[in-house]
Amino acid sequence: MKRLLPFVKNTTKHLPAFVLIFFTLSACASRSYIKVNYQLPDKIPDKPAVTEIRLSVVDHRVNPDPLSITARKKLWNFQGIYMLIMAPKGENDPIAGVYDLKTLFETVFRKRLEQMGIRVVDSASPQIPKLEVTVTFFQLDLRDHKWHFRMGYDTRLVKDEKVHVTQTFSGQTERVHVPGADDSGTTVSGIYADLINELDIAALLRKLPPA
């Protein structure tokens, strides 16, 4: 029987330690994306009279970097993309997609409209109502051993080239940073869904003048 080389013997002897170190380093590695969990509202409002709508999302942040300097040092491999995890009502498996920030907002608002039975159309007709969403800020910070996230967006409902309703939504949250944990995405998810679902689309559409 062949004898093992000293290095192989030592590696085998200390295999559990090597495995532990490997997974620790893997857990600490920076991902290229931030995971965002979003849940559609449980309560589906009555189907509105509006059956079609135009949707527009504009990124109008003064600071386009979603990470502060300190957060960037921690998430050094982040490439400005977001993995969206959704679990639509009645489905067991979440729908996962990877998007930039603008498409992330477009996707969740489209899902909300579809949940209400409203079809999002690509049309230039001013007679079709248009929901305009403007992202005003979206930034993750790391300071004092805590993740801090703040987000804000404005909405306008337009029809016949007239703005009928405007609303503003904003909020912030914080979470203790645990080394090795994926808590940056958890921090973002903690308020993202709440702010998106805070917009009462049905009430917004009821403010449109009669056709």
Side-chain angles (χ1 to χ4, degrees), residues 30-204:
S30 173
R31 293 177 176 176
S32 60
Y33 60 88
I34 289 177
K35 187 183 295 184
V36 178
N37 287 276
Y38 172 73
Q39 185 76 42
L40 287 165
D42 292 329
K43 184 179 180 181
I44 302 177
D46 295 334
K47 190 173 181 179
V50 174
T51 58
E52 293 183 333
I53 198 168
R54 295 175 293 158
L55 175 63
S56 169
V57 175
V58 178
D59 185 352
H60 200 257
R61 292 171 294 160
V62 175
N63 183 359
D65 194 340
L67 302 181
S68 67
I69 295 175
T70 52
R72 177 69 64 180
K73 289 180 180 178
K74 188 67 179 178
L75 304 176
W76 52 269
N77 195 37
F78 177 65
Q79 302 297 317
I81 55 177
Y82 304 85
M83 175 178 285
L84 176 62
I85 306 297
M86 293 181 63
K89 193 175 183 62
E91 296 186 18
N92 295 324
D93 297 326
I95 298 175
V98 178
Y99 310 102
D100 59 22
L101 187 64
K102 179 175 177 289
T103 312
L104 176 72
F105 275 81
E106 287 176 346
T107 301
V108 295
F109 276 109
R110 181 182 293 270
K111 290 292 183 181
R112 283 208 59 194
L113 291 164
E114 291 174 349
Q115 183 192 41
M116 298 173 61
I118 304 174
R119 188 163 63 95
V120 178
V121 297
D122 184 11
S123 173
S125 173
Q127 284 78 36
I128 299 177
K130 182 179 182 182
L131 176 61
E132 297 180 348
V133 179
T134 302
V135 183
T136 53
F137 54 89
F138 188 101
Q139 190 170 65
L140 185 65
D141 186 19
L142 180 61
R143 63 180 188 275
D144 301 326
H145 308 291
K146 290 183 180 180
W147 289 107
H148 299 261
F149 175 67
R150 67 189 194 102
M151 165 183 152
Y153 69 94
D154 300 330
T155 60
R156 302 198 315 169
L157 187 60
V158 181
K159 185 180 180 183
D160 295 323
E161 300 181 350
K162 295 181 180 179
V163 178
H164 295 277
V165 190
T166 61
Q167 290 184 316
T168 297
F169 302 89
S170 64
Q172 57 186 358
T173 187
E174 64 180 44
R175 185 183 182 89
V176 175
H177 169 52
V178 179
D182 184 23
D183 45 15
S184 59
T186 305
T187 306
V188 173
S189 302
I191 195 173
Y192 182 81
D194 290 343
L195 287 178
I196 294 294
N197 293 341
E198 190 175 336
L199 173 63
D200 189 338
I201 297 177
L204 202 68

Side-chain angles (χ1 to χ4, degrees), residues 16-36:
F18 277 104
V19 173
L20 177 61
I21 293 172
F22 173 78
F23 280 104
T24 300
L25 291 175
S26 298
C28 295
S30 173
R31 293 177 176 176
S32 60
Y33 60 88
I34 289 177
K35 187 183 295 184
V36 178

